[in-house]
Amino acid sequence: MFDKFKNFSEILSNMGAFREKMEEVKKRVSAIRVIGDAGAGMVTVTATGEGLITNVFINKQLFDADDNKMLEDLVLAATNDALKKAREATAYEFQSASGGLDLSEISKMFGGNLG
């Protein structure tokens, strides 16, 4: 009977350490900044590891062009590139912390956007 209690105590102890590690990872993820680009850098978009867009740069030459569709496509492509890089960087942080385990479901509980 006491062996079961000891095992449960160990599990709870490990959960605390795991929670601390996940909080550490969450801080690192929130500090991630990635840049997506399109049109050879004519449009760049900066995103956080949490998937938020923080900056958009559009080269002023694109405003002089009459092709609005091209500008829209470049903004869309740069945004998708930035969000893809943010997901990859976040996945890397969680996998590094877990020793290669897939924590995508667990990361969602902590506000992550994996998977």
Side-chain angles (χ1 to χ4, degrees):
M1 179 171 141
F2 291 111
D3 289 337
K4 290 181 183 179
F5 182 73
K6 183 179 176 187
N7 289 341
F8 183 70
S9 177
E10 287 177 18
I11 289 171
L12 289 179
S13 173
N14 290 338
M15 286 301 292
F18 178 74
R19 189 171 318 148
E20 287 177 22
K21 194 169 200 172
M22 291 304 291
E23 286 300 321
E24 241 179 76
V25 171
K26 188 175 178 182
K27 287 178 186 175
R28 288 199 312 260
V29 165
S30 69
I32 291 173
R33 297 295 181 272
V34 295
I35 298 175
D37 73 286
M42 295 292 277
V43 176
T44 61
V45 174
T46 304
T48 69
E50 297 164 324
L52 299 173
I53 303 301
T54 60
N55 190 48
V56 176
F57 167 79
I58 301 171
N59 187 303
K60 70 178 187 171
Q61 292 175 337
L62 291 173
F63 290 113
D64 296 334
D66 289 332
D67 192 354
N68 285 342
K69 180 65 176 148
M70 178 185 69
L71 177 57
E72 292 168 355
D73 289 345
L74 290 173
V75 170
L76 185 62
T79 301
N80 285 331
D81 186 42
L83 292 175
K84 178 182 179 230
K85 288 177 179 177
R87 281 191 304 272
E88 290 170 350
T90 300
Y92 176 79
E93 287 295 333
F94 276 100
Q95 294 218 340
S96 293
S98 71
L101 295 174
D102 180 11
L103 297 179
S104 60
E105 290 302 313
I106 294 171
S107 77
K108 290 175 187 174
M109 293 188 307
F110 288 88
N113 58 355
L114 298 177

